[in-house]
Structures are given as structure tokens and as C-alpha cells.
Amino acid sequence: SPARLIPSQIYFTLPRSYYHVGVSVNDVDSLGTSAYRTNVSTRNFEHDLAVSDILFAQRIAPAKGTSPFTRGPIEVIPHPIRRYAVGSPVSAYFEVYNLGLDEDKRSNYEVQYRVVPHTGDKQRFIDRFNGSQVAVSSSFKGSGYKTTEPMHIAIKSENLKPGFYDFMVTI
């Protein structure tokens, strides 16, 4: 049978710390099992400028109702395998916390993002985004009336060769 993607989310609350998280799925029909493990550290977003985790999406569109994927007025359908066809946009969603407000109660910020081919080199992660290997680079300025701003971008992939890439966003 063809593979199906069933996006889901599980919410739980834990004290601030560093955690090892594992998820396993058992298919009762085929008796197959799959597992995923990752490390998660929780941060305090109360004071310093911070960026949430970046959620790569299948689709970002106006919300038609409430769902586990609703983020305010939009719905962000996750794309957990993060594989995109060359030429299709790579959609990403994240939130910026603790933006400063000026005397008019407005936030002013600049978003820069870069995409570079993934490499196994031991070069520092940030150094790779400042070199000649940058495949996609863009920036934009924005403003708002809140200290927290949701962001979503679509990265054009027409000029990317098939392969693995790293993504860095700077606010």
C-alpha cells in the first residue's frame, strides 16, 4: 500500500531542563515498528530576544477553523520528513519573542535567512553561512505592534540541486 503521512501533535508540560525524547509507532496491521529520538532543551523566552523552533510545513494557509495546527489566524500543516521536490517552495514557520518597542509602541526588525549545502566538514556551523557556499540568501524588514511576532516564509528552490541543505535564520 502507498505510504501515508498522518500529521499529529502531542502536548505536554515539563519543567525547564534538558530532555531525551523518543517516540515509537507500532503498526498493528503490518506488525512494523518505527522509532524517532531527539534531544530537547527548554528555554526561558521571558526576557531576551529569542526565536522558536522552526517548523517546516507542507502548507501554510489561512485557518478555516481550529485544529492542532492553528497558529492564530493561520494553519501550519507540518512536513516532518522535510523533503521537498526541486522547484516547490520550502515553507517555514517560526515565532520571534521579546522584540523591543519604540516610543510609538512599534517593533522594528530585520529577518535574514540563508540556505547552504549540508556538509560533513567540521567547520563551525555559522562560518558555513558566511562563505561562498550560500545557495539561497534573502532578507526583509518588518514592524509590528507586539513584542511577539509570528513569521512564515517560502523559500524558492528552483535553483537548488537535489541534496541536503542547512537553513539559518537571523533576527
Side-chain angles (χ1 to χ4, degrees):
S1 74
R4 291 185 314 149
L5 175 64
I6 303 172
S8 61
Q9 292 183 351
I10 300 171
Y11 293 97
F12 53 92
T13 303
L14 296 169
R16 274 187 213 116
S17 188
Y18 184 79
Y19 296 93
H20 302 286
V21 178
V23 177
S24 65
V25 177
N26 298 313
D27 185 337
V28 294
D29 294 329
S30 69
L31 301 178
T33 301
S34 183
Y36 172 78
R37 290 179 297 201
T38 190
N39 297 321
V40 176
S41 62
T42 57
R43 296 185 301 180
N44 184 350
F45 291 129
E46 294 176 10
H47 305 291
D48 298 328
L49 182 64
V51 178
S52 70
D53 289 339
I54 297 171
L55 176 62
F56 290 92
Q58 289 181 35
R59 182 175 55 88
I60 300 175
K64 295 178 182 167
T66 56
S67 79
F69 308 110
T70 302
R71 302 286 184 267
I74 62 173
E75 185 174 52
V76 181
I77 304 298
H79 192 13
I81 60 173
R82 298 181 191 167
R83 288 187 175 223
Y84 296 85
V86 172
S88 65
V90 177
S91 298
Y93 174 88
F94 54 94
E95 295 170 0
V96 180
Y97 305 101
N98 303 316
L99 290 163
L101 299 177
D102 64 16
E103 61 276 352
D104 297 326
K105 305 278 188 218
R106 289 179 55 138
S107 63
N108 296 292
Y109 53 87
E110 181 177 7
V111 177
Q112 299 175 339
Y113 62 87
R114 292 182 176 169
V115 177
V116 299
H118 180 75
T119 177
D121 292 347
K122 294 193 177 200
Q123 186 179 21
R124 283 187 344 149
F125 183 77
I126 195 146
D127 290 340
R128 291 189 304 116
F129 291 92
N130 295 324
S132 61
Q133 298 178 344
V134 175
V136 175
S137 178
S138 187
S139 67
F140 60 91
K141 293 183 179 182
S143 64
Y145 292 98
K146 297 180 185 175
T147 59
T148 300
E149 287 288 331
M151 307 273 173
H152 54 93
I153 58 176
I155 302 165
K156 292 188 173 192
S157 67
E158 288 87 2
N159 297 325
L160 297 177
K161 296 176 184 173
F164 293 96
Y165 291 86
D166 292 326
F167 174 73
M168 183 175 77
V169 65
T170 305
I171 311 298

